[in-house]
Amino acid sequence: MTTKDIIKPENLVYAKPSVMNNNTMHYCPGCSHGVIHKLIAEVIGEMGIQDKAIGVAPVGCAVFAYNYLDIDWHEAAHGRAPAVATGIKRLLPDNYVFTYQGDGDLAAIGTAETIHACNRGENIAIFFVNNGIYGMTGGQMAPTTLLGMKTSTCPSGRQEDLNGFPLPITTLVAQLEGTRYVTRQSVHTANAVKKAKKAIRKALENSAEGKGTSFVEFVSTCNAGWKMSPAEANTWMEKNMIPVYPIGDLKDK
Amino acid sequence: MKQEIIIAGFGGQGVLSMGKILAYSSLLEGKEVSWFPSYGPEQRGGTANVTVIVSDNRISSPILNTFDVAIILNQQSLNKFESKVKPGGILIYDGYGISKEPTRTDIFIYRINAMDTSIAMNAAKSFNMIILGGLLKVLPFVNIESIMQGLKNSLPERHHHMLPTNEAAIRKGMEIIEKI
Amino acid sequence: MEQDIKLLKGNEAVAEAAIRCGCDGYFGYPITPQSEIMETLMQLEPWKTTGMVVLQAESEVAAINMVYGGAGCGKRVMTSSSSPGMSLKQEGLSYMAGADLPGLVVSVMRGGPGLGTIQSSQADYFQTVKGGGHGDYKMITLAPASVQEMADFTVLGFELAFKYNIVSVVLADGIIGQMMEKVQLPPYQKRLTNDEIREKYPWATLGKPANRKPNVITSLELDSALMEQRNLNLQKKYKEIEKNEVRYEEIACEDAEYLLVAFGSSARICQKTVELAREKGIKLGLFRPITLFPFPTNEIYAYTNTVKAILTVELNAGQMVEDVRLAVNGTIPVEHYGRMGGIVPTAEEILEVTEKLIAK
Ligand SMILES: Cc1ncc(C[n+]2csc(CCOP(=O)(O)OP(=O)(O)O)c2C)c(N)n1
Ligand code: SF4
Ligand SMILES: [Mg+2]
């Protein structure tokens, strides 16, 4: 096959999802955010809901998510995305409304909004990127930071007596009557990416059916904040994060 | 005595820490100093710069529009700051990756191939110390002893074995800087 | 003493000074450009030396309420944040004012409104000085213009807070927080023991002994007459502060024909403008309010006899200028020059604006 043959449309095997635009991403190379953005874009495209999807971006590294997916977006204040999404979905019940949040946003400053949106069973999808750190502000401790893990506000490692325990917020929201589908995924291998994509699709489909909140955690890396190469970060995550935040469905009703 | 200096380059080149060593060693000599960085996410792989002022007297604005000395470590910074050097001032630049050389004729221009030298010395981390050496050669407003004392005070004990390497890099910089 | 002179960022100086001045607790939430305050405290681990508590809260709302709790116990407690976080603290600050509680807040301003920018700004002057929360209340506001003052005002802020049972705010901005300068750190002061607190602050809730009534920290008063009395007491306290605590600095003002008025980082830039103006023979002076509440109203008014016009320079659309105009009360022209969104004017730019004002 010559180069000319390869670029023929009928030989196309993979393309950038159409929902994703050409803006250059600001994420560090190797960051999980980029992969998860792409998956959400693919699912929205495949479901044909680009005109009905409304995203709510957090304050965190994903603050500029609205620059990359060509759908309507709101940028929420830090932690308030589930409340903003509640407002949108209650007024536009036929739309596909989702939040995209980091661990600081969702499980620290926004814990109340998270718990209450889930407890009310808001018909939204919550996409939760758990990288165990505050990436955006330069690597401070997050509620999900592992015990012993070093960050700039726990420089000798997180200690339970000073900082409490890693918060398993996903396990918590699974207990609530309002949640319908709660799952933990990751995007560090091709296989994991496939499963994660299925979970995203299910969460968005659920939100249209109106039977409660869907909550998808992505156990993720922040190679910059963890001060590792992307490959090291993946290995570290497999070894340390996944045992604390095991992958799999917690609830599917 | 008053020196108003800008150091500008890529994040990760040691721009901020070089400025800090300059400020701190001047402080040890009893001078007034200020150090003002560009800050924020722009540091991530983007450009970084720091304004360092050393003076015998109280310093007014820590933020400046023109400089006595500009130390320039990439092309973007050269484009941005060449015109900001006061007439009669000094511009020192690393030749690595510079495609458009400085053109001013009313200032003193020095070139120092610190990047190439640090690679040749197999000591990439000494890059900013070579630059510092070049500056001290051209403008010895702070003693090398104070610089070494400053490094010693600010490095944790376990890194003190690096001090001779740093001093060698400074001396190397003094050797290789050349007037254009 | 020698080792107390350091090269520090403004934010780092706050942390060092807090530990040294007997602070009992810090509660905060990360936000640029002030995260180094908590990061430095975590690095210094004062709980192992002075016993000071340092805690990363889950939000600014939580952090200010932790301060409310600690302050009610008579402890020297503080928090710090930047603009979006300061907005969240307003409720708690109003409650602290209503309950006459002392405390220290370091606010390192960035550009707004909304999420805005992490670059420097002074657009939270109104929020801080005019009371960003609900109700008729005020906070002592100290505006540092150097790293030294970041350290000094941390100490002074606590002193004034406990002198008047009021919240003190150190109102800095990204430039002062991020820049490094030489700083002489304050001497170590012991933290008060609980017995000393009981003695000094009889209102503090350290547990009720048999011989006194319960202490209750509250801002609630449903009887309007009593609530009005509470308000009158607050106003009396603010008057007292206005009488005693005005602070300011004058630079090249003796023979000034024109006056710049600026606080914090803009005052530093204006100082350079004054140097440039004097080189050109322009008789320009700089008046720098150090306390923004209480505002140096009378001191500025005093210049209306000798200066022809005033230019205020702020990193905002014109906030402090309103207080300067009130101070001069129409006697001389007052103009404002401001940059916004994280842009900082150069000294030369300010000189140009000044020269235009003079030419008018
Ligand atoms: C009220 C308020 N407080 C603090 C901040 C500063 N801030 C921005 S992002 C962030 C944390 C982000 O961490 P996370 O949610 O885990 O997202 P990540 O960057 O790791 O993806 C903080 C504290 C803010 N913008 N607003
Ligand atoms: S700081 Fe971390 S979370 Fe943010 S873009 Fe970089 S790798 Fe991703
Ligand atoms: Mg995170």
Side-chain angles (χ1 to χ4, degrees), chain A residues 59 63 75 78 80 104 108-109 134 137-138 140-142 152-153 155-156 162, chain C residues 29-32 35 38-39 42-43 45 47 55-56 58-61 88 115:
Chain A
V59 176
V63 68
E75 163 53 30
H78 197 20
R80 316 295 180 227
I109 194 167
Y134 286 9
T137 39
Q140 294 86 2
M141 184 184 69
S152 67
T153 51
S156 26
L162 285 179
Chain C
Y29 187 78
I31 185 166
T32 313
S35 294
M38 180 163 45
E39 289 174 345
M42 291 296 189
Q43 205 100 48
E45 304 188 319
W47 53 91
L55 186 64
Q56 179 176 336
E58 70 273 29
S59 70
E60 290 86 353
V61 176
L88 288 184
L115 203 47

Tab-separated table of all heavy atoms in Angstrom, chain A residues 59 63 75 78 80 104 108-109 134 137-138 140-142 152-153 155-156 162, chain C residues 29-32 35 38-39 42-43 45 47 55-56 58-61 88 115:
chain	number	residue	atom	x	y	z
A	59	VAL	N	-14.092	23.625	38.153
A	59	VAL	CA	-12.842	24.366	38.330
A	59	VAL	C	-11.798	23.335	38.712
A	59	VAL	O	-11.952	22.609	39.679
A	59	VAL	CB	-12.967	25.465	39.390
A	59	VAL	CG1	-11.627	26.136	39.598
A	59	VAL	CG2	-14.002	26.487	38.946
A	63	VAL	N	-11.082	22.816	33.583
A	63	VAL	CA	-11.856	24.065	33.539
A	63	VAL	C	-12.123	24.497	32.101
A	63	VAL	O	-13.137	25.101	31.805
A	63	VAL	CB	-11.139	25.173	34.349
A	63	VAL	CG1	-9.846	25.594	33.684
A	63	VAL	CG2	-12.037	26.384	34.557
A	75	GLU	N	-19.738	26.809	32.573
A	75	GLU	CA	-18.588	26.718	33.458
A	75	GLU	C	-19.102	27.062	34.856
A	75	GLU	O	-19.612	28.157	35.081
A	75	GLU	CB	-17.493	27.701	32.984
A	75	GLU	CG	-16.413	28.038	33.986
A	75	GLU	CD	-15.742	26.826	34.578
A	75	GLU	OE1	-15.656	25.786	33.918
A	75	GLU	OE2	-15.310	26.938	35.745
A	78	HIS	N	-16.288	26.619	41.586
A	78	HIS	CA	-15.596	25.444	42.136
A	78	HIS	C	-16.534	24.597	43.009
A	78	HIS	O	-17.031	25.068	44.026
A	78	HIS	CB	-14.413	25.956	42.955
A	78	HIS	CG	-13.376	24.914	43.263
A	78	HIS	ND1	-13.229	23.733	42.557
A	78	HIS	CD2	-12.404	24.899	44.217
A	78	HIS	CE1	-12.217	23.044	43.063
A	78	HIS	NE2	-11.704	23.726	44.071
A	80	ARG	N	-19.544	23.448	42.363
A	80	ARG	CA	-20.999	23.647	42.258
A	80	ARG	C	-21.622	22.989	41.025
A	80	ARG	O	-22.813	23.168	40.771
A	80	ARG	CB	-21.345	25.143	42.246
A	80	ARG	CG	-20.613	25.979	43.264
A	80	ARG	CD	-20.977	25.624	44.701
A	80	ARG	NE	-20.238	26.472	45.613
A	80	ARG	CZ	-19.582	26.042	46.687
A	80	ARG	NH1	-19.584	24.762	47.002
A	80	ARG	NH2	-18.949	26.887	47.457
A	104	GLY	N	-10.972	17.255	43.811
A	104	GLY	CA	-11.098	18.408	44.717
A	104	GLY	C	-12.450	19.051	44.530
A	104	GLY	O	-13.165	19.373	45.487
A	108	ALA	N	-14.359	17.558	47.676
A	108	ALA	CA	-13.968	18.437	48.794
A	108	ALA	C	-14.952	19.590	48.844
A	108	ALA	O	-15.985	19.522	49.502
A	108	ALA	CB	-12.534	18.930	48.622
A	109	ILE	N	-14.675	20.605	48.040
A	109	ILE	CA	-15.504	21.819	48.132
A	109	ILE	C	-16.927	21.556	47.656
A	109	ILE	O	-17.854	22.238	48.088
A	109	ILE	CB	-14.829	22.973	47.353
A	109	ILE	CG1	-15.441	24.324	47.694
A	109	ILE	CG2	-14.851	22.735	45.855
A	109	ILE	CD1	-14.629	25.504	47.195
A	134	TYR	N	-4.710	17.900	43.559
A	134	TYR	CA	-5.183	19.126	42.911
A	134	TYR	C	-4.192	19.450	41.801
A	134	TYR	O	-3.137	20.011	42.054
A	134	TYR	CB	-5.227	20.292	43.904
A	134	TYR	CG	-6.354	20.244	44.917
A	134	TYR	CD1	-7.157	19.121	45.049
A	134	TYR	CD2	-6.627	21.336	45.732
A	134	TYR	CE1	-8.199	19.093	45.963
A	134	TYR	CE2	-7.662	21.307	46.650
A	134	TYR	CZ	-8.445	20.180	46.762
A	134	TYR	OH	-9.467	20.140	47.668
A	137	THR	N	-3.899	23.622	40.693
A	137	THR	CA	-3.264	24.614	41.561
A	137	THR	C	-1.836	24.226	41.926
A	137	THR	O	-1.228	24.868	42.768
A	137	THR	CB	-4.093	24.819	42.848
A	137	THR	OG1	-4.588	23.548	43.259
A	137	THR	CG2	-5.254	25.756	42.593
A	138	GLY	N	-1.324	23.170	41.324
A	138	GLY	CA	0.085	22.868	41.506
A	138	GLY	C	0.360	21.748	42.487
A	138	GLY	O	1.417	21.719	43.113
A	140	GLN	N	-1.581	20.143	45.342
A	140	GLN	CA	-1.884	20.033	46.772
A	140	GLN	C	-2.683	18.758	47.051
A	140	GLN	O	-3.166	18.084	46.136
A	140	GLN	CB	-2.687	21.254	47.263
A	140	GLN	CG	-1.927	22.573	47.209
A	140	GLN	CD	-2.029	23.247	45.873
A	140	GLN	OE1	-2.702	22.756	44.964
A	140	GLN	NE2	-1.333	24.370	45.721
A	141	MET	N	-2.858	18.466	48.343
A	141	MET	CA	-3.583	17.264	48.747
A	141	MET	C	-5.055	17.343	48.331
A	141	MET	O	-5.693	18.373	48.488
A	141	MET	CB	-3.495	17.114	50.264
A	141	MET	CG	-4.125	15.845	50.782
A	141	MET	SD	-4.094	15.796	52.575
A	141	MET	CE	-5.268	17.084	52.971
A	142	ALA	N	-5.567	16.244	47.829
A	142	ALA	CA	-6.987	16.138	47.483
A	142	ALA	C	-7.658	15.221	48.494
A	142	ALA	O	-6.976	14.490	49.217
A	142	ALA	CB	-7.130	15.576	46.070
A	152	SER	N	2.100	18.918	47.937
A	152	SER	CA	2.711	20.129	48.494
A	152	SER	C	2.080	20.551	49.816
A	152	SER	O	2.675	21.309	50.562
A	152	SER	CB	2.658	21.268	47.481
A	152	SER	OG	1.327	21.658	47.263
A	153	THR	N	0.872	20.082	50.125
A	153	THR	CA	0.318	20.405	51.445
A	153	THR	C	0.352	19.210	52.405
A	153	THR	O	-0.148	19.302	53.520
A	153	THR	CB	-1.126	20.952	51.355
A	153	THR	OG1	-1.907	20.066	50.559
A	153	THR	CG2	-1.147	22.344	50.741
A	155	PRO	N	3.689	17.423	52.646
A	155	PRO	CA	5.001	17.154	52.045
A	155	PRO	C	5.672	15.899	52.587
A	155	PRO	O	6.552	15.350	51.932
A	155	PRO	CB	5.814	18.410	52.368
A	155	PRO	CG	5.064	19.142	53.427
A	155	PRO	CD	3.634	18.732	53.325
A	156	SER	N	5.261	15.425	53.769
A	156	SER	CA	5.875	14.172	54.211
A	156	SER	C	4.902	13.006	54.049
A	156	SER	O	5.049	11.965	54.681
A	156	SER	CB	6.419	14.289	55.632
A	156	SER	OG	5.745	15.262	56.361
A	162	LEU	N	-3.507	13.472	60.781
A	162	LEU	CA	-3.540	14.895	60.430
A	162	LEU	C	-4.592	15.196	59.373
A	162	LEU	O	-5.274	16.209	59.444
A	162	LEU	CB	-2.179	15.341	59.885
A	162	LEU	CG	-1.054	15.537	60.885
A	162	LEU	CD1	0.211	15.946	60.145
A	162	LEU	CD2	-1.424	16.616	61.900
C	29	TYR	N	-7.810	26.656	52.204
C	29	TYR	CA	-8.114	25.840	51.031
C	29	TYR	C	-7.257	26.377	49.893
C	29	TYR	O	-7.134	27.592	49.748
C	29	TYR	CB	-9.609	25.957	50.699
C	29	TYR	CG	-10.052	25.022	49.594
C	29	TYR	CD1	-10.264	23.675	49.853
C	29	TYR	CD2	-10.238	25.484	48.304
C	29	TYR	CE1	-10.651	22.810	48.833
C	29	TYR	CE2	-10.630	24.619	47.282
C	29	TYR	CZ	-10.831	23.281	47.556
C	29	TYR	OH	-11.205	22.429	46.550
C	30	PRO	N	-6.607	25.489	49.109
C	30	PRO	CA	-5.669	25.982	48.091
C	30	PRO	C	-6.328	26.899	47.065
C	30	PRO	O	-7.425	26.612	46.606
C	30	PRO	CB	-5.194	24.697	47.391
C	30	PRO	CG	-5.495	23.588	48.336
C	30	PRO	CD	-6.701	24.023	49.108
C	31	ILE	N	-5.670	27.970	46.731
C	31	ILE	CA	-6.060	28.790	45.584
C	31	ILE	C	-4.888	29.704	45.214
C	31	ILE	O	-4.249	30.290	46.092
C	31	ILE	CB	-7.359	29.597	45.827
C	31	ILE	CG1	-7.789	30.341	44.553
C	31	ILE	CG2	-7.238	30.578	46.976
C	31	ILE	CD1	-9.211	30.882	44.583
C	32	THR	N	-4.583	29.782	43.942
C	32	THR	CA	-3.529	30.642	43.425
C	32	THR	C	-4.041	32.093	43.480
C	32	THR	O	-5.218	32.303	43.196
C	32	THR	CB	-3.232	30.252	41.955
C	32	THR	OG1	-3.113	28.830	41.882
C	32	THR	CG2	-1.995	30.921	41.424
C	35	SER	N	-1.393	29.958	47.569
C	35	SER	CA	-1.272	28.594	48.105
C	35	SER	C	-0.002	28.400	48.925
C	35	SER	O	0.047	27.528	49.795
C	35	SER	CB	-1.318	27.572	46.976
C	35	SER	OG	-2.591	27.581	46.366
C	38	MET	N	-0.282	28.091	52.968
C	38	MET	CA	-0.526	26.779	53.587
C	38	MET	C	0.619	25.812	53.285
C	38	MET	O	1.021	25.028	54.154
C	38	MET	CB	-1.855	26.192	53.121
C	38	MET	CG	-2.145	24.848	53.746
C	38	MET	SD	-3.860	24.305	53.654
C	38	MET	CE	-4.326	24.656	51.993
C	39	GLU	N	1.158	25.879	52.057
C	39	GLU	CA	2.251	24.963	51.713
C	39	GLU	C	3.458	25.191	52.631
C	39	GLU	O	4.081	24.225	53.095
C	39	GLU	CB	2.649	25.139	50.246
C	39	GLU	CG	1.580	24.603	49.288
C	39	GLU	CD	1.854	24.889	47.814
C	39	GLU	OE1	2.708	25.740	47.506
C	39	GLU	OE2	1.191	24.274	46.967
C	42	MET	N	2.737	23.798	56.088
C	42	MET	CA	2.817	22.334	56.102
C	42	MET	C	4.272	21.866	56.085
C	42	MET	O	4.619	20.846	56.663
C	42	MET	CB	2.064	21.763	54.905
C	42	MET	CG	0.559	21.948	54.989
C	42	MET	SD	-0.164	21.046	56.381
C	42	MET	CE	-1.924	21.238	56.025
C	43	GLN	N	5.115	22.652	55.396
C	43	GLN	CA	6.534	22.330	55.339
C	43	GLN	C	7.198	22.565	56.709
C	43	GLN	O	8.029	21.781	57.140
C	43	GLN	CB	7.201	23.260	54.322
C	43	GLN	CG	8.454	22.738	53.704
C	43	GLN	CD	8.168	22.185	52.318
C	43	GLN	OE1	7.503	22.839	51.515
C	43	GLN	NE2	8.626	20.983	52.039
C	45	GLU	N	5.771	22.556	59.663
C	45	GLU	CA	5.191	21.677	60.694
C	45	GLU	C	5.172	22.299	62.087
C	45	GLU	O	5.706	21.726	63.041
C	45	GLU	CB	5.969	20.345	60.724
C	45	GLU	CG	6.001	19.638	59.378
C	45	GLU	CD	6.599	18.248	59.458
C	45	GLU	OE1	7.605	18.064	60.175
C	45	GLU	OE2	6.041	17.339	58.812
C	47	TRP	N	3.051	22.376	64.327
C	47	TRP	CA	2.424	21.588	65.394
C	47	TRP	C	3.459	20.824	66.204
C	47	TRP	O	3.217	20.454	67.341
C	47	TRP	CB	1.351	20.645	64.821
C	47	TRP	CG	1.823	19.766	63.692
C	47	TRP	CD1	2.350	18.520	63.798
C	47	TRP	CD2	1.824	20.088	62.293
C	47	TRP	NE1	2.681	18.044	62.543
C	47	TRP	CE2	2.370	18.970	61.603
C	47	TRP	CE3	1.412	21.204	61.567
C	47	TRP	CZ2	2.521	18.939	60.215
C	47	TRP	CZ3	1.557	21.168	60.188
C	47	TRP	CH2	2.105	20.051	59.525
C	55	LEU	N	-4.581	23.090	59.159
C	55	LEU	CA	-5.499	22.128	58.557
C	55	LEU	C	-5.955	22.592	57.176
C	55	LEU	O	-6.329	23.750	56.998
C	55	LEU	CB	-6.723	21.938	59.464
C	55	LEU	CG	-7.703	20.843	59.027
C	55	LEU	CD1	-7.062	19.463	59.058
C	55	LEU	CD2	-8.940	20.851	59.918
C	56	GLN	N	-5.891	21.662	56.227
C	56	GLN	CA	-6.470	21.935	54.905
C	56	GLN	C	-7.949	21.584	54.975
C	56	GLN	O	-8.316	20.429	55.155
C	56	GLN	CB	-5.766	21.112	53.826
C	56	GLN	CG	-6.349	21.356	52.449
C	56	GLN	CD	-5.592	20.625	51.339
C	56	GLN	OE1	-4.418	20.304	51.482
C	56	GLN	NE2	-6.271	20.360	50.234
C	58	GLU	N	-12.035	21.494	53.543
C	58	GLU	CA	-12.605	20.997	52.286
C	58	GLU	C	-13.125	22.126	51.413
C	58	GLU	O	-13.484	21.893	50.251
C	58	GLU	CB	-13.699	19.965	52.557
C	58	GLU	CG	-14.987	20.507	53.164
C	58	GLU	CD	-14.941	20.572	54.685
C	58	GLU	OE1	-13.848	20.738	55.252
C	58	GLU	OE2	-16.023	20.457	55.310
C	59	SER	N	-13.171	23.342	51.941
C	59	SER	CA	-13.606	24.480	51.131
C	59	SER	C	-13.326	25.754	51.930
C	59	SER	O	-13.036	25.699	53.120
C	59	SER	CB	-15.109	24.408	50.835
C	59	SER	OG	-15.851	24.645	52.023
C	60	GLU	N	-13.468	26.886	51.286
C	60	GLU	CA	-13.292	28.157	51.988
C	60	GLU	C	-14.434	28.385	52.971
C	60	GLU	O	-14.252	29.015	54.011
C	60	GLU	CB	-13.235	29.326	51.000
C	60	GLU	CG	-11.976	29.362	50.156
C	60	GLU	CD	-12.064	28.521	48.902
C	60	GLU	OE1	-13.065	27.790	48.743
C	60	GLU	OE2	-11.141	28.588	48.070
C	61	VAL	N	-15.607	27.887	52.631
C	61	VAL	CA	-16.735	28.017	53.557
C	61	VAL	C	-16.390	27.294	54.857
C	61	VAL	O	-16.567	27.826	55.955
C	61	VAL	CB	-18.021	27.422	52.936
C	61	VAL	CG1	-19.167	27.473	53.931
C	61	VAL	CG2	-18.394	28.151	51.656
C	88	LEU	N	-16.555	33.320	48.994
C	88	LEU	CA	-17.207	32.268	49.785
C	88	LEU	C	-17.114	32.540	51.282
C	88	LEU	O	-17.942	32.068	52.048
C	88	LEU	CB	-16.573	30.907	49.483
C	88	LEU	CG	-16.887	30.321	48.116
C	88	LEU	CD1	-16.283	28.934	48.001
C	88	LEU	CD2	-18.393	30.245	47.887
C	115	LEU	N	-14.306	33.477	37.847
C	115	LEU	CA	-13.053	32.734	37.984
C	115	LEU	C	-11.878	33.617	37.553
C	115	LEU	O	-10.775	33.485	38.061
C	115	LEU	CB	-13.131	31.455	37.140
C	115	LEU	CG	-12.220	30.291	37.503
C	115	LEU	CD1	-12.237	30.001	38.987
C	115	LEU	CD2	-12.648	29.058	36.725
